[in-house]
Structures are given as structure tokens and as C-alpha cells.
Amino acid sequence: MKYQPRLQKQYFEEVVPALTKKFGYKTVMQVPRLVKINLNQGISAALTDKKLIDTGIAEMTAVPTISKRDVSNFKLRKGNPIGVRVTLRSEKMYEFLDRLVSIALPRVRDFRGINDKGFDGRGNYSFGIPEQIIFPEINIDKVSKINGMDITIVTTAKTDEEAFALLKEFGLPFKNQKNNN
């Protein structure tokens, strides 16, 4: 028997029937699903300290992002590493989303929910978190500089309303849930 993450199992057992009932889909293939989760961490201090990129790569097991052009105001040269990024798909994506919702987001100081205005009009949702140390996998003693990260959840939803319903079913804690029910 193959391992199946908890949220992936929840998607097939609870989310699909709920969204089918709410939006009146005729087939299961019309129900929106998660495609991938992109994590991006810009490390501005990497221009002066190259070791910060290596630290970011080790924390996220990611690849560096390279600058595409020179920007003299920021002392940035073409080809310099300026951040790290990683794309999660399938089981790793569901595991990350589960840890994000149930462990990491509640650890954010003064957390009142994530903003529900981060949709792009095509069913994708982006938001930022201020500190990478909210994840329990990161050893706080080894962190030299606290950086935030941007998280983009890519779905197959056609509208923001469908994507919002999908993410709400997965348990993402939005700020204004009372207004959108």
C-alpha cells in the first residue's frame, strides 16, 4: 500500500464532495485541485555576504535565484545570487501544506489569519510570512539572519471564488471568514 498524505486523503474524501455540492460540478474532473506550491525567499543581504545564500539553500533544500540584469542603485550585478526558491508537487506539496496550516502558521506572533486578498484572478493564491523560524524543521540556533518567504499556491480553479473555497476546505485560516460564508 502506497503512502498517502493526510491532506491528500482529505481532498478525495471531504473536499471533492463539498466543492461538488457547492458549485454543482457534473464530474470529479471539474473540481479544482492543487497543482504545486512555490516557495521563494529573497535574501537581500546576500550581496554583501555570500554565505547567506548557502544557508538559505540548506534551510529550504532549494536552488539559488540569479539576478537577470544589473541594477546600480542596489549594487546588484547580473549573475549574482539574490535568493532561493523551491517548487513542491504531489506528496511533498500536501505534507508542506499540512505542516503550514497545522503547525507553522499558529506559531506566527500575533497571528489573526492570512489575508484573503492574495488571489491573482486565475485561482492562484500568494502570501508572505515574516519569519522562516516558524517551521519546526529549522534549527533556530543555526539561523544567522531571519528572513521572510513568499508562498504561492497554484490551483486548477478557474475563479478566485473556487480557489478560496478549495483552500478554506483545506483549513487555511483566512482573516475575514465571517464575511465570506
Side-chain angles (χ1 to χ4, degrees):
M1 184 170 168
K2 188 176 181 227
Y3 169 72
Q4 189 176 26
R6 184 180 72 86
L7 279 185
Q8 190 174 17
K9 191 174 180 183
Q10 178 186 342
Y11 173 75
F12 292 113
E13 293 175 359
E14 299 171 19
V15 176
V16 170
L19 292 179
T20 303
K21 182 179 176 186
K22 181 174 183 178
F23 293 105
Y25 297 124
K26 298 196 184 329
T27 177
V28 177
M29 296 304 292
Q30 289 180 316
V31 179
R33 64 184 184 282
L34 297 179
V35 176
K36 62 185 175 181
I37 296 177
N38 294 326
L39 305 174
N40 181 23
Q41 188 175 38
I43 305 173
S44 60
L47 296 174
T48 57
D49 188 6
K50 303 293 182 200
K51 293 179 184 174
L52 290 177
I53 290 290
D54 296 333
T55 307
I57 290 171
E59 284 176 358
M60 290 179 48
T61 58
V63 296
T65 54
I66 307 298
S67 64
K68 294 180 181 177
R69 62 182 65 97
D70 296 338
V71 181
S72 62
N73 291 348
F74 299 122
K75 297 178 183 164
L76 180 66
R77 298 290 166 243
K78 183 177 180 179
N80 284 356
I82 53 173
V84 294
R85 66 178 167 84
V86 66
T87 301
L88 305 173
R89 298 176 196 271
S90 62
E91 284 90 15
K92 289 183 181 182
M93 169 186 66
Y94 283 106
E95 288 292 332
F96 174 79
L97 187 62
D98 193 13
R99 267 188 256 118
L100 178 73
V101 170
S102 56
I103 298 171
L105 285 178
R107 292 178 64 167
V108 174
R109 259 182 281 144
D110 299 330
F111 183 68
R112 291 190 175 87
I114 55 178
N115 195 353
D116 59 353
K117 301 203 183 334
F119 291 95
D120 67 350
R122 293 183 297 268
N124 303 320
Y125 180 69
S126 297
F127 66 100
I129 54 173
E131 304 171 332
Q132 84 269 30
I133 59 173
I134 63 170
F135 293 100
E137 295 87 6
I138 296 176
N139 188 356
I140 297 173
D141 297 335
K142 293 184 179 179
V143 173
S144 59
K145 185 175 186 312
I146 294 178
N147 293 314
M149 69 174 60
D150 298 322
I151 300 172
T152 302
I153 301 172
V154 180
T155 69
T156 60
K158 302 281 188 255
T159 65
D160 289 345
E161 182 185 357
E162 292 174 345
F164 179 79
L166 173 68
L167 296 177
K168 204 161 103 174
E169 287 290 329
F170 274 123
L172 260 72
F174 289 101
K175 279 184 188 174
N176 304 324
Q177 276 193 349
K178 293 182 184 104
N179 300 340
N180 293 318
N181 284 338

